[in-house]
Amino acid sequence: MAAAPLLIQSRENTLVKDLRRLSQDSTAYRKQGRVWLEGDHLCSAALVRSMKPQIAVFAESFWPQAPSDLKQAAERNVLMADVLWRDISGLESPAQMGFVMELPNTAGLDPHAPTVVLDRLQDAGNVGSILRTASAFGFTQIAAVKGTAALWSAKVLRAGMGAHFALRLVEGLGNEDIEGLQVPLLATSSHQGDFLHRAALPWPCAWLMGHEGQGVSEALQRHASAHIRIAQPGGEESLNVAAAAAICLHASGAARS
Amino acid sequence: MAAAPLLIQSRENTLVKDLRRLSQDSTAYRKQGRVWLEGDHLCSAALVRSMKPQIAVFAESFWPQAPSDLKQAAERNVLMADVLWRDISGLESPAQMGFVMELPNTAGLDPHAPTVVLDRLQDAGNVGSILRTASAFGFTQIAAVKGTAALWSAKVLRAGMGAHFALRLVEGLGNEDIEGLQVPLLATSSHQGDFLHRAALPWPCAWLMGHEGQGVSEALQRHASAHIRIAQPGGEESLNVAAAAAICLHASGAARS
């Protein structure tokens, strides 16, 4: 099925250069139209969701023991000298294989899907964690307002642990796109609305999650159809946004079960 | 009140070297017996909780506009040439001030306190987020099993956003210490026990949160007095541990309100 693998040994090889960019520059995937999935966990998660990688890249020393499903997944297999692997890895302990995959085509927002809106979230770890949580609780779409961390960057992919492949991901949106959603828009608030654990939550819905420092923009806040409070008996000023998202999305999931 | 500040200009200055270690080596605070709080947000949070810093360090250019409460907080103020600041900062945009504070004395576990047990959690961001969540929902103690990320490291402090000062933090514990807790020990499970949103949760209690890859050790799992399931209608294999903690600790908080 797969052709006999080519061994790459030069730092100047075009693929090595492309992978270095995909790994280090969080928005390079937009220019290249393809993403870099590093590590067998992420690659296996992609296969489970029927993704079709273009190229599978293996560290030379790993090839002999690489699982056959990973060897047979891509149109093309490539071996890379181990010494080059550090160049293209964002990990402290570099993974030993990865896939190059075409950037999934996103045809735009589905106005009726259960959605998590990311309003200019900055931290890749937070964004990845929220994708994972969204997928776990039955949300099917992520709507990222312009200014949010790049969804297909290596860091967000790593924190998402495969959730990317189960979700419809739309980014670069304006407020008007969010306002076009046809499901009730829910915002968290520190001072108004029902407490989450007593609220009747609509389904499907869209939860608004905002910038780590500034929260959700006033324009989007105004457009929310309900404000929901998270009771904080300890009195801390705020939760981490990924923690708040976990609590809200779980409540939406629990309300249906 | 505060003495006229001394200006430090040499990389070889002892304080600069000590701060560099505190900032870059996650366990240096144990040797030095003191912690480094970087940035006005963290320092203000410490003051709100009546912490007494030993030394307040200011970037030379920031001193003229530094808020007076930060200038009057420490036994000693020190100015540091701006160029040295990069050496001692773990931030991409270095903060312009920080406190050196004595490592709070932890007299050991309170067996009756509402507690979050961290069983060998690796990721500093996860640990900090859980501290913040614990504090928000009325937990007063963190019990970290040996192997957990160092609680007072710069990264955990940053992610904790001041929660450190509201909690009793005990680390380096063995399983026997956790088993000595006199409150019910709750563990999350993927396959047994009541669903969280329907469970009657005891208060006070101790929640067990485990290693990112391996989960809670079998020895501690066996010691749990209840196993609780988080319903995941989306069918993902697992949640990020800080997300799972947020959901569980919120449920404990909500059950009391």
Side-chain angles (χ1 to χ4, degrees), chain A residues 59-163:
Chain A
E60 187 180 7
S61 65
F62 179 63
W63 173 256
Q65 74 254 37
S68 61
D69 60 331
L70 296 178
K71 285 181 171 179
Q72 290 165 9
E75 293 160 29
R76 187 154 70 96
N77 284 332
V78 168
L79 298 197
M80 201 170 275
D82 289 25
V83 66
L84 295 183
W85 206 259
R86 299 210 167 273
D87 271 20
I88 58 165
S89 175
L91 303 174
E92 277 179 39
S93 319
Q96 297 176 295
M97 60 82 51
F99 285 162
V100 178
M101 190 182 83
E102 196 181 349
L103 181 63
N105 178 33
T106 52
L109 282 178
D110 172 354
H112 304 288
T115 300
V116 181
V117 177
L118 306 179
D119 182 22
R120 298 163 298 123
L121 264 71
Q122 301 298 296
D123 184 85
N126 283 340
V127 171
S129 174
I130 293 176
L131 264 59
R132 204 171 155 190
T133 304
S135 173
F137 295 126
F139 290 78
T140 59
Q141 177 168 261
I142 302 291
V145 173
K146 205 168 181 170
T148 299
L151 298 184
W152 289 97
S153 69
K155 278 188 189 170
V156 175
L157 274 162
R158 204 145 60 229
M161 298 278 283

Side-chain angles (χ1 to χ4, degrees), chain A residues 41 49 92 129 132-138 155 159-163 166 196-198 212 229-244 246-247 250 253-257, chain B residues 41 49 92 129 132-138 155 159-163 166 196-198 212 229-244 246-247 250 253-257:
Chain A
H41 182 96
R49 297 285 182 169
E92 277 179 39
S129 174
R132 204 171 155 190
T133 304
S135 173
F137 295 126
K155 278 188 189 170
M161 298 278 283
L196 180 69
H197 60 287
R198 296 194 201 121
E212 285 83 354
R229 270 191 280 190
I230 299 176
Q232 294 188 38
E236 280 306 299
E237 62 184 30
S238 75
L239 293 163
N240 165 275
V241 64
I247 293 163
H250 169 259
R256 319 196 302 283
S257 70
Chain B
H41 183 97
R49 296 286 182 168
E92 275 179 41
S129 174
R132 203 171 155 192
T133 303
S135 174
F137 294 125
K155 278 187 191 171
M161 298 278 283
L196 179 69
H197 60 287
R198 296 192 201 125
E212 284 84 353
R229 270 191 279 189
I230 299 175
Q232 293 185 40
E236 280 307 298
E237 61 183 30
S238 73
L239 291 163
N240 165 276
V241 64
I247 293 164
H250 170 258
R256 317 195 304 283
S257 70

